[in-house]
Short mmCIF file of all heavy atoms in Angstrom, two decimals:
data_model
loop_
_atom_site.label_atom_id
_atom_site.label_comp_id
_atom_site.label_asym_id
_atom_site.label_seq_id
_atom_site.Cartn_x
_atom_site.Cartn_y
_atom_site.Cartn_z
N ILE A 48 26.87 -10.43 -15.32
CA ILE A 48 26.34 -10.23 -13.98
C ILE A 48 25.08 -9.39 -14.15
O ILE A 48 25.14 -8.27 -14.66
CB ILE A 48 27.36 -9.50 -13.08
CG1 ILE A 48 28.66 -10.29 -13.03
CG2 ILE A 48 26.78 -9.26 -11.69
CD1 ILE A 48 29.86 -9.47 -12.60
N HIS A 49 23.95 -9.94 -13.74
CA HIS A 49 22.66 -9.27 -13.87
C HIS A 49 22.13 -8.91 -12.49
O HIS A 49 22.25 -9.70 -11.56
CB HIS A 49 21.63 -10.18 -14.55
CG HIS A 49 22.06 -10.74 -15.85
ND1 HIS A 49 22.09 -10.00 -17.01
CD2 HIS A 49 22.49 -11.98 -16.19
CE1 HIS A 49 22.50 -10.75 -18.01
NE2 HIS A 49 22.76 -11.95 -17.54
N TRP A 50 21.54 -7.74 -12.36
CA TRP A 50 20.88 -7.32 -11.12
C TRP A 50 19.41 -7.03 -11.40
O TRP A 50 19.07 -6.43 -12.42
CB TRP A 50 21.55 -6.08 -10.55
CG TRP A 50 22.78 -6.40 -9.76
CD1 TRP A 50 24.05 -6.58 -10.26
CD2 TRP A 50 22.89 -6.59 -8.35
NE1 TRP A 50 24.91 -6.86 -9.23
CE2 TRP A 50 24.22 -6.87 -8.06
CE3 TRP A 50 21.95 -6.53 -7.30
CZ2 TRP A 50 24.67 -7.10 -6.76
CZ3 TRP A 50 22.39 -6.76 -6.01
CH2 TRP A 50 23.73 -7.04 -5.75
N TYR A 51 18.57 -7.48 -10.48
CA TYR A 51 17.12 -7.31 -10.56
C TYR A 51 16.60 -6.81 -9.22
O TYR A 51 17.28 -6.91 -8.20
CB TYR A 51 16.43 -8.65 -10.84
CG TYR A 51 16.84 -9.30 -12.13
CD1 TYR A 51 17.97 -10.10 -12.19
CD2 TYR A 51 16.08 -9.12 -13.28
CE1 TYR A 51 18.35 -10.71 -13.38
CE2 TYR A 51 16.44 -9.73 -14.48
CZ TYR A 51 17.58 -10.52 -14.52
OH TYR A 51 17.95 -11.11 -15.69
N ARG A 52 15.38 -6.31 -9.24
CA ARG A 52 14.70 -6.04 -7.98
C ARG A 52 13.23 -6.41 -8.11
O ARG A 52 12.66 -6.38 -9.20
CB ARG A 52 14.86 -4.60 -7.53
CG ARG A 52 13.96 -3.60 -8.20
CD ARG A 52 14.09 -2.25 -7.52
NE ARG A 52 13.36 -1.23 -8.25
CZ ARG A 52 13.30 0.03 -7.87
NH1 ARG A 52 13.92 0.43 -6.78
NH2 ARG A 52 12.62 0.90 -8.57
N ARG A 53 12.66 -6.80 -6.97
CA ARG A 53 11.23 -7.13 -6.92
C ARG A 53 10.59 -6.27 -5.85
O ARG A 53 10.81 -6.46 -4.66
CB ARG A 53 11.02 -8.61 -6.63
CG ARG A 53 9.56 -9.02 -6.68
CD ARG A 53 9.34 -10.52 -6.61
NE ARG A 53 10.13 -11.20 -5.61
CZ ARG A 53 9.77 -11.34 -4.33
NH1 ARG A 53 8.63 -10.83 -3.89
NH2 ARG A 53 10.55 -11.99 -3.49
N LEU A 54 9.80 -5.31 -6.30
CA LEU A 54 9.05 -4.46 -5.39
C LEU A 54 7.90 -5.25 -4.79
O LEU A 54 7.41 -6.21 -5.41
CB LEU A 54 8.53 -3.23 -6.13
CG LEU A 54 9.60 -2.27 -6.66
CD1 LEU A 54 9.00 -1.30 -7.66
CD2 LEU A 54 10.27 -1.53 -5.52
N PRO A 55 7.44 -4.90 -3.59
CA PRO A 55 6.34 -5.64 -2.96
C PRO A 55 5.12 -5.72 -3.87
O PRO A 55 4.70 -4.73 -4.48
CB PRO A 55 6.03 -4.79 -1.71
CG PRO A 55 7.30 -4.06 -1.42
CD PRO A 55 7.92 -3.79 -2.76
N GLY A 56 4.61 -6.94 -4.01
CA GLY A 56 3.41 -7.16 -4.81
C GLY A 56 3.62 -7.15 -6.31
O GLY A 56 2.66 -7.19 -7.07
N ARG A 57 4.86 -7.12 -6.75
CA ARG A 57 5.17 -7.10 -8.18
C ARG A 57 6.16 -8.20 -8.55
O ARG A 57 6.81 -8.77 -7.69
CB ARG A 57 5.77 -5.75 -8.58
CG ARG A 57 4.83 -4.60 -8.35
CD ARG A 57 5.42 -3.34 -8.91
NE ARG A 57 4.51 -2.23 -8.78
CZ ARG A 57 4.77 -1.03 -9.22
NH1 ARG A 57 5.90 -0.78 -9.82
NH2 ARG A 57 3.90 -0.06 -9.07
N GLY A 58 6.30 -8.43 -9.83
CA GLY A 58 7.29 -9.37 -10.31
C GLY A 58 8.65 -8.70 -10.40
O GLY A 58 8.76 -7.48 -10.27
N PRO A 59 9.70 -9.49 -10.62
CA PRO A 59 11.04 -8.91 -10.73
C PRO A 59 11.21 -8.04 -11.96
O PRO A 59 10.60 -8.31 -13.00
CB PRO A 59 11.96 -10.13 -10.79
CG PRO A 59 11.10 -11.27 -11.15
CD PRO A 59 9.70 -10.93 -10.75
N THR A 60 12.00 -6.99 -11.82
CA THR A 60 12.33 -6.13 -12.96
C THR A 60 13.84 -6.03 -13.08
O THR A 60 14.56 -6.00 -12.08
CB THR A 60 11.74 -4.71 -12.81
OG1 THR A 60 12.20 -4.14 -11.59
CG2 THR A 60 10.23 -4.74 -12.81
N PHE A 61 14.30 -5.99 -14.31
CA PHE A 61 15.73 -5.89 -14.61
C PHE A 61 16.23 -4.49 -14.27
O PHE A 61 15.57 -3.50 -14.58
CB PHE A 61 15.94 -6.19 -16.09
CG PHE A 61 17.33 -5.93 -16.57
CD1 PHE A 61 18.35 -6.82 -16.29
CD2 PHE A 61 17.63 -4.78 -17.29
CE1 PHE A 61 19.64 -6.57 -16.73
CE2 PHE A 61 18.90 -4.53 -17.73
CZ PHE A 61 19.92 -5.43 -17.45
N LEU A 62 17.41 -4.42 -13.65
CA LEU A 62 18.03 -3.13 -13.33
C LEU A 62 19.22 -2.83 -14.23
O LEU A 62 19.29 -1.79 -14.86
CB LEU A 62 18.47 -3.08 -11.87
CG LEU A 62 17.37 -3.10 -10.82
CD1 LEU A 62 17.98 -3.16 -9.43
CD2 LEU A 62 16.49 -1.87 -10.97
N VAL A 63 20.19 -3.76 -14.26
CA VAL A 63 21.44 -3.49 -14.98
C VAL A 63 22.22 -4.80 -15.11
O VAL A 63 22.03 -5.72 -14.32
CB VAL A 63 22.28 -2.44 -14.21
CG1 VAL A 63 22.72 -2.95 -12.85
CG2 VAL A 63 23.44 -1.92 -15.02
N SER A 64 23.07 -4.86 -16.12
CA SER A 64 23.98 -6.01 -16.25
C SER A 64 25.30 -5.55 -16.84
O SER A 64 25.39 -4.50 -17.47
CB SER A 64 23.36 -7.11 -17.12
OG SER A 64 23.24 -6.70 -18.45
N SER A 65 26.32 -6.36 -16.60
CA SER A 65 27.66 -6.06 -17.12
C SER A 65 28.46 -7.34 -17.17
O SER A 65 28.22 -8.27 -16.40
CB SER A 65 28.35 -5.05 -16.21
OG SER A 65 29.65 -4.79 -16.69
N ILE A 66 29.42 -7.37 -18.05
CA ILE A 66 30.32 -8.52 -18.08
C ILE A 66 31.58 -8.24 -17.25
O ILE A 66 32.11 -9.13 -16.62
CB ILE A 66 30.66 -8.96 -19.51
CG1 ILE A 66 31.21 -10.38 -19.49
CG2 ILE A 66 31.59 -7.99 -20.20
CD1 ILE A 66 31.06 -11.14 -20.78
N LYS A 67 32.01 -6.95 -17.21
CA LYS A 67 33.19 -6.65 -16.40
C LYS A 67 33.30 -5.20 -15.92
O LYS A 67 33.93 -4.92 -14.93
CB LYS A 67 34.48 -7.03 -17.12
CG LYS A 67 34.74 -6.26 -18.38
CD LYS A 67 36.03 -6.71 -19.04
CE LYS A 67 36.25 -5.97 -20.34
NZ LYS A 67 37.49 -6.37 -20.99
N GLU A 68 32.68 -4.27 -16.64
CA GLU A 68 32.86 -2.87 -16.27
C GLU A 68 31.75 -2.40 -15.35
O GLU A 68 30.67 -2.97 -15.31
CB GLU A 68 32.92 -1.98 -17.51
CG GLU A 68 31.64 -1.90 -18.31
CD GLU A 68 31.45 -3.04 -19.29
OE1 GLU A 68 32.36 -3.86 -19.49
OE2 GLU A 68 30.36 -3.12 -19.86
N SER A 69 32.05 -1.33 -14.63
CA SER A 69 31.03 -0.70 -13.79
C SER A 69 30.10 0.09 -14.68
O SER A 69 30.49 0.57 -15.74
CB SER A 69 31.70 0.21 -12.76
OG SER A 69 32.49 -0.56 -11.88
N LYS A 70 28.84 0.22 -14.25
CA LYS A 70 27.84 0.92 -15.05
C LYS A 70 26.97 1.78 -14.16
O LYS A 70 26.67 1.42 -13.03
CB LYS A 70 26.96 -0.08 -15.79
CG LYS A 70 27.62 -0.75 -16.94
CD LYS A 70 26.60 -1.47 -17.78
CE LYS A 70 27.23 -2.00 -19.04
NZ LYS A 70 26.26 -2.75 -19.85
#
Side-chain angles (χ1 to χ4, degrees):
I48 303 160
H49 306 285
W50 278 85
Y51 300 85
R52 79 172 173 180
R53 185 171 45 86
L54 295 166
R57 298 187 177 182
T60 57
F61 171 77
L62 293 175
V63 65
S64 68
S65 178
I66 198 156
K67 64 180 177 180
E68 66 276 353
S69 296
K70 286 193 173 178

